[in-house]
Amino acid sequence: MRVLIRPGSGEAGKRVGLEESEVHHLRVRRAKVGEQVEVLDGAGVRGSGHIVQDGRDWLVDVDKVEREPAPAELVLAVGAGDRERFDWLVEKSAEIGVTSIVPVETEHTSGVATRLKPSHLSRLRQAAYEALKQSGAAWVPTVEDPVQLEEFLRRPRAGAGWLADAHGGPPPVTLDSGPLTIMVGPEGGFSESERAEIIGAGFSPIVLSAFTLRFETAALTAAAAAAQARLRRIRG
């Protein structure tokens, strides 16, 4: 069983408290005092411990801790479309190994009534954190505040850039561990002027399917293609 602890609290020999959501998880799983658990904090800590109780409080005594280096940078910059589908995107991105998710405001998101807004970010960040229990990853992806496309493109960018685009070429078969930023448009895609601006900023058009994909499907397909390409380079 995996248990999430607060980032920075995982130290061998330390007793740590748990968030209410984790306590609920333990109760649902009918965990017992003394039961061994895997410990993750979303900030590189992977360890082991055992469950203890102090009155009505559930805690974990951390027995052993290892710290994993941060993964290769994989950024998804995605049009801030429907918030429920964005929620699903964040959860699955954490399982794939995405390191950062940036909601981007575009011409086609401004008029969407159900679009992602800053008030939804707390829920998204919690969803990313809880997805670690499924994937067993040591690092949780960051979920940034929404940003205007023009502002995002002005940021300094390390490494390569992909643009999910029906007119692009196929993704590379292999990929090194250098930083990669992938841009995905919202429902309706980027406008022609936005597309030209993105390509002008150095992003290479990459086609992901013979069919039209929803933004969350396109983002995850692109992230999975990048993760597979990196694995092929590593494992040969």
Side-chain angles (χ1 to χ4, degrees), residues 14-34:
K14 185 176 180 179
R15 177 170 291 182
V16 296
L18 300 174
E19 301 288 351
E20 183 56 38
S21 59
E22 287 304 295
V23 173
H24 176 72
H25 173 70
L26 292 177
R27 287 172 177 156
V28 169
R29 294 288 299 273
R30 298 186 178 182
K32 299 178 180 178
V33 172

Side-chain angles (χ1 to χ4, degrees), residues 74-186:
L74 178 56
V75 178
L76 281 181
V78 185
D82 181 82
R83 58 180 174 265
E84 291 189 4
R85 298 214 299 273
F86 216 99
D87 189 39
W88 185 84
L89 163 64
V90 168
E91 177 185 336
K92 301 308 176 185
S93 294
E95 297 175 17
I96 292 175
V98 172
T99 59
S100 183
I101 302 160
V102 186
V104 179
E105 299 283 6
T106 74
E107 291 183 22
H108 291 158
T109 63
S110 60
V112 178
T114 60
R115 71 184 183 280
L116 179 68
K117 299 176 183 177
S119 59
H120 306 133
L121 294 176
S122 177
R123 186 184 71 179
L124 290 183
R125 289 164 180 155
Q126 184 63 28
Y129 189 62
E130 292 179 353
L132 294 183
K133 279 191 286 192
Q134 170 64 31
S135 66
W139 289 84
V140 67
T142 60
V143 181
E144 296 191 21
D145 292 343
V147 60
Q148 292 292 328
L149 175 62
E150 294 79 8
E151 181 181 343
F152 180 77
L153 293 177
R154 285 196 297 268
R155 294 181 182 180
R157 187 185 82 248
W162 293 359
L163 166 63
D165 188 89
H167 304 291
V173 175
T174 61
L175 196 66
D176 62 28
S177 59
L180 174 63
T181 300
I182 303 172
M183 297 208 67
V184 179

